[in-house]
Amino acid sequence: MSDTVQQFFAVRAKIAAAEREAGREAGAVTLVAVSKTFEAADISPVLEAGQRVFGENRVQEAQGKWPGLKQAFPDIELHLIGPLQSNKAKDAVALFDVIETVDREKIAAELAREMSRQGRAPKLYVQVNTGSEPQKAGIEPREAVAFVKRCREVHGLAIEGLMCIPPADENPGPHFALLEKLAREAGVAKLSMGMSGDYETAIAFGATSVRVGSAIFGSR
């Protein structure tokens, strides 16, 4: 068994333990294996070990490797977890099953147009910039609930969840708690939060999916 596959199984075991610890049902949390910068050859062993949900940061990079993998494994669910530029909305809707980074009016309008044009309906999450970091994508927390409402009422988008990336140098717990509170207020059920360094904490705060890359594939 390769190192990558061993690490994959270790992460799955830790997720199961964190679910038990938090008093949550087994299988309540989806593992999104973050495969950005890794080639199809690196991803295939994890697919063969049973993983089907993957995350990519860039539309263009994903276009280079996922169509072939999706042909081989038709039940793959591919998440866009990096910032989306409006000129990439067409390609994103065509390729991704879940887009986690809706964070402004222009993107919402562009996605609505493309989804209608292509007859495809990827699941959508709103990204919240819980740390109000100027260099980071995501809508401000105080605007998040109203933005979800506008996405639904103005653009006709079914927003399924919220996503965040806490500041690297802060305790992630309060950020996860804030996202959970905003999700309740906005009436969305899914919470994408937690990465390689803090996914067990995120599960304790109610994450429904965790985005884990380096703990599975190694450092980039």
Side-chain angles (χ1 to χ4, degrees), residues 34-38 212-214 217-220:
V34 178
S35 47
K36 64 177 183 182
T37 76
F38 287 95
V212 181
S214 55
F217 293 103
S219 53
R220 293 175 171 79

Side-chain angles (χ1 to χ4, degrees), residues 10-196:
V11 167
R12 281 224 318 218
K14 285 179 179 174
I15 289 171
E19 285 171 339
R20 285 194 300 275
E21 181 77 20
R24 299 180 62 188
E25 274 181 46
V29 180
T30 299
L31 168 60
V32 181
V34 178
S35 47
K36 64 177 183 182
T37 76
F38 287 95
E39 302 297 324
D42 302 310
I43 298 164
S44 290
V46 180
L47 273 162
E48 281 153 20
Q51 177 66 10
R52 290 294 179 272
V53 186
F54 290 84
E56 287 282 340
N57 264 43
R58 296 172 188 275
V59 175
Q60 213 162 343
E61 185 195 333
Q63 283 174 313
K65 59 190 173 185
W66 282 101
L69 290 168
K70 277 188 153 198
Q71 215 164 2
F73 298 89
D75 54 344
I76 282 169
E77 182 178 276
L78 191 58
H79 291 229
L80 178 64
I81 59 172
L84 178 59
Q85 296 163 316
S86 52
N87 65 348
K88 295 285 184 198
K90 176 183 175 183
D91 294 338
V93 168
L95 180 61
F96 289 91
D97 305 293
V98 182
I99 295 171
E100 297 199 12
T101 49
V102 182
D103 66 350
R104 58 199 188 281
E105 207 77 43
K106 188 178 180 183
I107 285 293
E110 208 57 54
L111 287 172
R113 193 175 303 122
E114 279 304 325
M115 286 163 70
S116 165
R117 206 177 64 77
Q118 296 183 35
R120 273 200 104 230
K123 295 169 185 167
L124 302 175
Y125 288 53
V126 165
Q127 181 173 354
V128 182
N129 185 352
T130 55
S132 298
E133 297 173 276
Q135 79 285 8
K136 200 173 272 181
I139 194 142
E140 285 290 318
R142 64 179 177 277
E143 296 166 18
V145 174
F147 179 63
V148 170
K149 192 168 189 272
R150 280 202 309 282
C151 284
R152 289 172 171 154
E153 294 176 2
V154 177
H155 303 290
L157 298 174
I159 301 295
E160 180 174 284
L162 302 183
M163 178 267 228
C164 76
I165 305 168
D169 55 352
E170 290 185 24
N171 173 4
H175 295 273
F176 297 153
L178 173 59
L179 199 72
E180 192 275 333
K181 175 178 172 282
L182 292 171
R184 269 187 289 116
E185 289 173 9
V188 298
K190 299 292 178 76
L191 286 169
S192 171
M193 57 192 197
M195 298 189 288
S196 286

